[in-house]
Amino acid sequence: NDSTSINNIFYTDNTKSDDVESILNWGADSSQISNLSWLTHFNALESIDLYINPSRFSMSTFEWAIDNEAQISLRSDTIRIMDLSLARGLQTVFLNGQLSKSNQDKLLFEVKNIDLNEVSSLLQITELKGVTDAEGAISNPFENFQFIGKAKMKDLYVQSESKFSMDKRKTKH
């Protein structure tokens, strides 16, 4: 099964000149209520800024929060993400920087305490268990993709058959 069902989706907007205030809600009939809110500003035909408001949303049964305002800017040659932080308990995902055709532009990322069981459940892939932390940067995904980063996994299980920790670099039984 590779699909996700979302019921009772509601979108509302309020348009003023070059701005559109948007709210997207779903799951109002369940305990997994989601509410995403943002402002879209159209600077020109090739320039759009999204100002994401603090919001809460659920994917599958997992509720995530955007606790602070963030900005995503889309230009014809650049994607900029400023201070986008997602949190679920102790799990966090943080993105900051920009992507373009220049190798000098970088999108920095940091993930902490990510529960791999939740990731495998959400993506409906092989059962994984454990926790991962990672940080790094990507640049120029358009012409010369570059990735620099490091990750640490604790107590990694794959299909509940093996257990090892990349942090300790030895097998445990």
Side-chain angles (χ1 to χ4, degrees):
N1 185 1
D2 61 355
S3 61
T4 300
S5 175
I6 300 174
N7 295 316
N8 297 320
I9 298 173
F10 297 98
Y11 173 78
T12 57
D13 66 57
N14 183 13
T15 303
K16 297 177 189 173
S17 186
D18 294 334
D19 295 334
V20 179
E21 296 174 356
S22 301
I23 299 173
L24 182 64
N25 296 348
W26 68 90
D29 59 342
S30 72
S31 63
Q32 304 293 316
I33 298 171
S34 296
N35 183 10
L36 289 173
S37 169
W38 70 95
L39 172 78
T40 305
H41 178 73
F42 297 92
N43 296 309
L45 289 177
E46 62 227 12
S47 178
I48 300 171
D49 292 320
L50 302 170
Y51 299 92
I52 302 169
N53 297 317
S55 300
R56 298 213 178 296
F57 61 95
S58 294
M59 296 183 298
S60 191
T61 60
F62 309 115
E63 184 179 296
W64 284 81
I66 301 171
D67 290 327
N68 300 309
E69 288 186 7
Q71 181 181 352
I72 300 174
S73 297
L74 307 171
R75 307 286 185 268
S76 60
D77 60 350
T78 307
I79 300 169
R80 178 178 293 165
I81 301 174
M82 303 301 293
D83 301 322
L84 179 59
S85 180
L86 307 172
R88 173 174 160 69
L90 296 176
Q91 299 179 77
T92 60
V93 176
F94 180 74
L95 300 172
N96 193 56
Q98 70 180 26
L99 296 171
S100 71
K101 292 180 180 178
S102 170
N103 293 337
Q104 275 42 38
D105 289 337
K106 295 184 181 354
L107 178 63
L108 306 175
F109 67 88
E110 182 177 41
V111 298
K112 291 184 179 178
N113 299 308
I114 299 300
D115 182 335
L116 296 175
N117 189 45
E118 291 184 10
V119 173
S120 66
S121 175
L122 182 64
L123 298 177
Q124 299 178 350
I125 58 173
T126 300
E127 182 183 2
L128 301 173
K129 291 184 182 177
V131 176
T132 190
D133 296 330
E135 62 182 42
I138 61 172
S139 66
N140 196 350
F142 308 104
E143 294 179 347
N144 184 29
F145 180 77
Q146 296 180 12
F147 172 86
I148 298 171
K150 62 181 179 178
K152 177 172 64 171
M153 294 183 187
K154 299 175 191 164
D155 299 324
L156 176 64
Y157 289 84
V158 179
Q159 293 183 341
S160 298
E161 294 174 7
S162 64
K163 176 182 176 183
F164 62 95
S165 174
M166 291 181 67
D167 186 34
K168 295 181 182 175
R169 299 187 190 274
K170 68 179 183 180
T171 303
K172 296 180 183 178
H173 292 286

